[in-house]
Each structure stands twice: as structure tokens, then as C-alpha cells.
Amino acid sequence: MAKMLKLTQIHPNPKQPREYFDEEKMEELRSSIRKFGVIQSIEVRRRPAGGYEIVAGERRYRASMDVGKTTIKAEIVDTAVDIKAFRRSMAENMGRADMTPLEEAAGFQKILDEDRNEDGSELTEADIAEDYGKTPRYVKMRLQLLSLVPSVRHHLTYGHIGVAAAHRISELKPENQEAVIKKWANGGDDGKPMDENELLHFAHQVREQERQPGMFDVEELTEDERVERTAARRATRNKLDQIERVRELLEELAKTPIEELAVALEGQIAARLDQLERTAKSLQDAKFQLRQAKAHADARQIVASSAAVAPTLSETPDEDGNTGLGNPDDRLEAEFAEMLAEIVAEGADIAEDADAPVPVAA
């Protein structure tokens, strides 16, 4: 049963899994508490030194202090073991939009390091996933984020970069992580900021170089090979030049009055729409290839100046069954699909929690 406790009797948990509190959301919570008070009780446990320690609800505690409250509704729980209290706090915070991915990662790692199953066996990522309603891949991806260098951690914590890009960067060597985030911060060659998709592709290409150290080696070509490569380069550039003419034709078509189009294409409109759909699909495919080519070129600049020695490729599968061999584009699409599915699912969980009728929950 909840009871009113003086705020002066309550102490924050020094092992609170959450370290970052979004100021905008905190102000929303303060406004709610000013108007309605604390609707959902916080959870506390008794301290050996006297008073109480927060198990769940630090945001509500902080906001109540900020608006000048002197008491707060609290439920006293019996959680004697620190790691069990920590797990309760994690459960209370999980899925909240302002608990950062890195805080989740650190929490998962702490539980893996300090807790055990009831039979004494070590916990696994699958155990953590089951306990918190996540997939094993989700937990594994979160734990991978702990490999990020401090500069990348900063940008992830404050929402400058997304989880998908951060995860791909976390798979790089520390010096390459620094190089990637530096280039992202400086923008592309055109001076424009690098968007999330470009950063994801760029980090992927750097990772490919680490996996395949020979992919950027300078080739020694024969005279015939040089002539052939020059011809291929000219042909590719000519194709792209012709696209500009196609763009002009499409602009003219877009400006043509619909009555005139209806007459000119009588009996063919459906077929011509299909033609444009195929063209649009080909354009998207070409853009994807060019985006990859740009990321490849950018990655080449970074890894060419790196003193790090890339690992030797092995045919031994990793935990996900990948050998590092095969078609990079096929792996890219498969990995992106899995990764983005996790991010979408994560966003859905957060949105669902955000809609829950608990306006003052921490």
C-alpha cells in the first residue's frame, strides 16, 4: 500500500540505470505534477543507514523536488539484494523514450555480470531478452553499443545519430569509429550534412574494408586493361549524362495539360504508367548503387590513411552464421532489413508506452 513520505527521507539510487534525463520531457512532467500531483506512486526500499532508496520513479522524485513538493506517494517494497532492485528499476524504465540505448546496454551488461539464474547458472542474452520482452538480437545490438568510442557515444546519447548507424559504427575499430564520426560531423564533400542513411552506408563500407583489407588495393594494370577501364569509365559517365535528358523529358511531360495527355495517350495510359513505375524503380536502384559507390569512395579515403591492420578473412562462421564472404550487397540488404526491423519494433514499443495513461511515470 502506498503512503506519503517526506522527500527529505528519500535518496536516489546511486546505481540508477538511467543517467540522461531529457529536459523537455522533465518539464512536461513538472507541469503535470504541478497540476495533478504524482498519480503513480514511486517505489522505494528501506536503507540500512536510515531513510529510503528509490527503486523506481526517479523522474517523479526529481520533478517533485523541482516544483517545491515536500512529500510524495511511495510504495515500500522488500528488495534486499542490490541487483534485484536494479532489475526492478530497469523494468520500470525500459521502453521509456528518454532512457537512452547506451543506458539500456549498460543495464543489460550489469545484469549479465552480477546476476545469476535461480539454479546458479550464468544469464545469457536470451534470458535478458525474455525477461524484458525483447528479442535476443535486440539485446545483442544494445550490448554492441558499449564498444563505441566516447565521441560516438555522445552523439548517440543526445540523438544526433540513430541507433542503426551507431550500431554499425560500433563494429569498427576505435580509430575508424573516430574517423567516421569526424567525417559525419564535417559533412560531405559538397558541404552538406551527412544524413542518417548516408552515415549508415558509409560506416558499412568502412566495415567492409576492415573485413576485406585487399578491396582497396591499387591494381597494376596492363596497357590493354587501362584502355578498357578508360572506355568503361567513359561509357558509365555517358549513361549518367543521358539521364539529364530523360529528366528534361519527364519535366516536359509533367507540365503537359492532363486533357492533352488523355488524348495523346488514348488506350495506352495504363501501359505508360507501368512504364514510369519501372523507370522509377530503376532510378531508386541506381541511386542505391551510387550511394554505395560514394560511401565506398569516402571509406577508401579513411582506411587508406589508417595505420590499423585489418583482420584476415576467415571461413569460420560467426555467431550469426556469417563468414564475411559472399556478395557484400546481399549481406548489406539482409543486415539492413534485420537492423531496421529492430529499430521499427523499438519505435513501436516506445510509441505504445508513450500513449499509456500514466502521465507522470518515470
Side-chain angles (χ1 to χ4, degrees):
M1 177 181 294
K3 61 186 297 185
M4 298 300 294
L5 295 179
K6 294 180 180 179
L7 286 171
T8 55
Q9 295 177 285
I10 299 172
H11 303 268
N13 182 352
K15 298 179 180 180
Q16 155 74 250
R18 179 187 293 172
E19 298 176 359
Y20 171 71
F21 293 86
D22 184 278
E23 181 56 32
E24 183 177 345
K25 291 185 173 60
M26 283 296 294
E27 184 54 40
E28 292 175 359
L29 181 55
R30 293 184 195 108
S31 298
S32 174
I33 290 176
R34 287 190 191 99
K35 188 173 182 179
F36 304 108
V38 173
I39 298 175
Q40 182 180 356
S41 303
I42 68 171
E43 292 186 5
V44 298
R45 62 174 179 167
R46 299 184 187 278
R47 299 170 73 226
Y52 303 89
E53 181 180 275
I54 297 172
V55 173
E58 185 163 338
R59 287 178 72 247
R60 280 162 276 165
Y61 164 81
R62 290 187 179 213
S64 296
M65 294 280 286
D66 290 345
V67 301
K69 298 289 185 180
T70 59
T71 60
I72 190 170
K73 282 198 303 184
E75 183 175 347
I76 302 172
V77 297
D78 182 18
T79 309
V81 183
D82 284 347
I83 190 61
K84 300 303 181 185
F86 181 86
R87 294 191 68 160
R88 284 179 66 90
S89 185
M90 275 287 292
E92 200 264 349
N93 284 313
M94 280 292 293
R96 296 296 178 185
D98 55 346
M99 187 177 189
T100 70
L102 282 168
E103 288 170 346
E104 285 188 12
F108 290 153
Q109 189 61 60
K110 179 180 176 66
I111 293 168
L112 286 171
D113 291 341
E114 299 183 16
D115 205 6
R116 293 289 184 272
N117 286 311
E118 292 183 0
D119 62 3
S121 61
E122 292 187 354
L123 289 169
T124 66
E125 293 168 3
D127 293 328
I128 299 294
E130 182 177 357
D131 288 346
Y132 290 101
K134 302 295 183 181
T135 65
R137 179 173 174 80
Y138 178 98
V139 175
K140 182 176 182 179
M141 288 176 64
R142 282 294 191 264
L143 291 171
Q144 179 65 36
L145 295 176
L146 297 177
S147 301
L148 290 170
V149 298
S151 58
V152 184
R153 288 188 177 209
H154 170 83
H155 290 297
L156 173 61
T157 295
Y158 288 94
H160 303 155
I161 64 175
V163 176
H167 179 265
R168 186 48 47 95
I169 294 171
S170 72
E171 298 173 324
L172 305 177
K173 298 175 182 178
E175 59 268 31
N176 283 338
Q177 290 187 33
E178 295 281 7
V180 166
I181 206 65
K182 182 178 179 180
K183 183 169 182 62
W184 167 82
N186 292 337
D189 296 334
D190 54 5
K192 296 180 180 179
M194 186 182 294
D195 64 28
E196 181 78 4
N197 198 29
E198 290 171 328
L199 177 58
L200 193 58
H201 282 271
F202 179 39
H204 172 80
Q205 286 298 327
V206 175
R207 192 189 70 162
E208 287 301 293
Q209 161 59 5
E210 289 188 353
R211 288 184 171 183
Q212 303 181 59
M215 72 184 294
F216 290 150
D217 288 349
V218 177
E219 302 173 74
E220 293 186 8
L221 304 177
T222 65
E223 182 61 29
D224 288 344
E225 288 172 334
R226 279 196 291 272
V227 171
E228 183 178 347
R229 177 162 295 187
T230 299
R233 180 182 294 121
R234 185 180 299 114
T236 300
R237 292 175 177 176
N238 285 340
K239 290 176 184 177
L240 290 170
D241 290 340
Q242 292 175 39
I243 290 177
E244 183 62 23
R245 176 54 184 157
V246 174
R247 184 191 65 78
E248 293 173 356
L249 292 172
L250 289 173
E251 280 193 352
E252 292 178 12
L253 184 63
K255 294 176 182 178
T256 304
I258 57 176
E259 296 84 358
E260 185 176 329
L261 284 174
V263 173
L265 298 177
E266 185 176 1
Q268 296 185 5
I269 293 179
R272 294 299 185 178
L273 280 172
D274 288 341
Q275 182 184 34
L276 288 179
E277 290 291 345
R278 292 193 301 272
T279 301
K281 172 63 166 59
S282 297
L283 176 60
Q284 289 300 318
D285 292 344
K287 283 177 63 179
F288 179 86
Q289 287 298 96
L290 285 177
R291 187 178 290 116
Q292 282 294 96
K294 182 181 185 303
H296 181 92
D298 289 341
R300 182 170 185 164
Q301 291 178 355
I302 283 182
V303 296
S305 62
S306 173
V309 177
T312 302
L313 278 176
S314 169
E315 294 185 0
T316 303
D318 61 18
E319 295 180 6
D320 289 328
N322 299 318
T323 62
L325 303 174
N327 188 319
D329 289 331
D330 289 344
R331 292 202 312 277
L332 175 70
E333 290 189 9
E335 290 172 351
F336 277 10
E338 292 181 9
M339 184 181 298
L340 294 177
E342 294 290 343
I343 302 304
V344 169
E346 175 187 353
D349 288 343
I350 291 174
E352 182 177 344
D353 286 336
D355 290 337
V358 185
V360 294

